[in-house]
Amino acid sequence: MVLALTGFAIILLLAFAGVPLAFATLGVGFFGVMYLRGADAALAVSTQWIIDTSINYNLSIIPLFVLMGAFIHRAGISRDLFAASYAWLGRFRGGLALSGVLSCAGFAAVCGSSLATAATMTRVAVPPMREFKYNDGFSAGTIAAGGTLGIMIPPSVPLAIYGIVAGQDIGLLFIAGIVPGLLLICLFMLAAQVVVLVRPDFGPAGEAMSLKATLRASFSTWPVIILFGIVLGGIYSGVFTPTEAAGVGCAGAFVFGLLKGHFRDLASVRGVFEETVATTAMIFAIVFSALVLAQFVNLTGMPYQLQAFVLGSQVGPLGLVLMICAVCVVLGMVFESIGILLLIIPVFLPSLNALGVDLIWFGILVIIVIELGLISPPIGMNVFTVKSVAPEIPLGAIFLGVMPYIVAMLIGGVLIILYPQIATSLPGAMR
């Protein structure tokens, strides 16, 4: 176990030094296996694992959902989502913050990435909030927190990765994320309302719009609603597998973009595919590198030593889950969600199976915990993403702005622990 922990420590040091996570993970995994089994074995094991995983059919879901999100983003639908939310809620005190949360949720439903949601919606939502004299920290913190919905509301790339690593049905995981996602939306909106109740100057009311203008703005969001309904409805009804649903979603996103006047020249289509290839390559590089690291960790015996420790200490299923959650929060301050899942799940999976933990429920809970880490100081990745897009807003102000949403997310996690059916009722109805 000491050797494995040393490897994790080296990865953290390399990450802080600016080495990309994929390279740090691959280097530690490869040289760790080489230390234990020799250079020839390290080369053979690493290449075999990467080749075997690269031909896994389930991985095809990732570039398809990334492509769907890229089509939606390039079609400008993110602005339509915010405009529609503002049309209904902007007239109320704190209404632009509520609009920001809802538009983040809508974009998350067709994007699947937390960082992409935060970056996109910062460009869309923060300028109007500043125009209406919203507190900078509150507005930026709202979008940083709303961006975390990108990895909960299906289709979610991290949930797909979790399903592959943990051997769980991806369709069931997507369905399981619906109710917790709605719960988090409600908690975030409640948190925003509490803030403006305590500090009315943080979120002045916007301009009221006529019913005709409101309905016109709402109608512009129909592509997202239809795509979300087709993808999730097809999976839930059994018409599509998750991979087939992703393919249908890509085709639908492209057609909707055409109808809105986009993608009518080769350059714009090429830009979408270039973005998709770059994002997919980054994800796959992390996935393949983490597999090599997992092989090294398995050779050290750490997963089975942890299993023996957990069973011997009688911490129980809940104690183990809480321990994993604490680790994920810490890692969430440094790593992106996919990297955390690939570092943590292979290590603790034998112990989770031994204690009979429901892995669908656990997957939803661990995603919420990772979301929490993405906005927690000192290095919340979503906060730094918002800061990079809006550099004029002080980092400390953004961290203060996310604090109410951290409380909301903690409440959401506690509710899912106390009432597991929040995450398991819909998947249970499908089984």
Side-chain angles (χ1 to χ4, degrees), residues 131-142:
E131 181 181 341
F132 281 94
K133 309 300 181 184
Y134 270 57
N135 176 271
D136 280 346
F138 176 51
S139 58
T142 298

Side-chain angles (χ1 to χ4, degrees), residues 29-85:
F30 179 82
F31 287 109
V33 174
M34 187 172 70
Y35 175 79
L36 292 172
R37 293 292 186 270
D40 291 341
L43 188 61
V45 167
S46 301
T47 54
Q48 191 61 49
W49 268 78
I50 292 173
I51 291 172
D52 289 345
T53 304
S54 65
I55 60 176
N56 185 336
Y57 175 73
N58 289 326
L59 279 178
S60 60
I61 194 174
I62 294 173
L64 289 173
F65 276 131
V66 171
L67 178 59
M68 185 174 78
F71 276 132
I72 290 292
H73 170 55
R74 296 293 183 103
I77 293 178
S78 56
R79 296 187 181 276
D80 295 337
L81 289 168
F82 183 76
S85 300

Side-chain angles (χ1 to χ4, degrees), residues 100-105 108 114 117-118 121 140-151 153 188 371 375 382 402 405 409:
V101 172
L102 279 182
S103 54
C104 282
S114 176
T117 301
M121 297 315 301
T142 298
I143 302 305
T148 63
L149 297 170
I151 61 173
I153 298 177
F188 283 2
E371 289 176 334
I375 58 173
N382 267 32
V402 300
Y405 302 103
M409 203 171 288

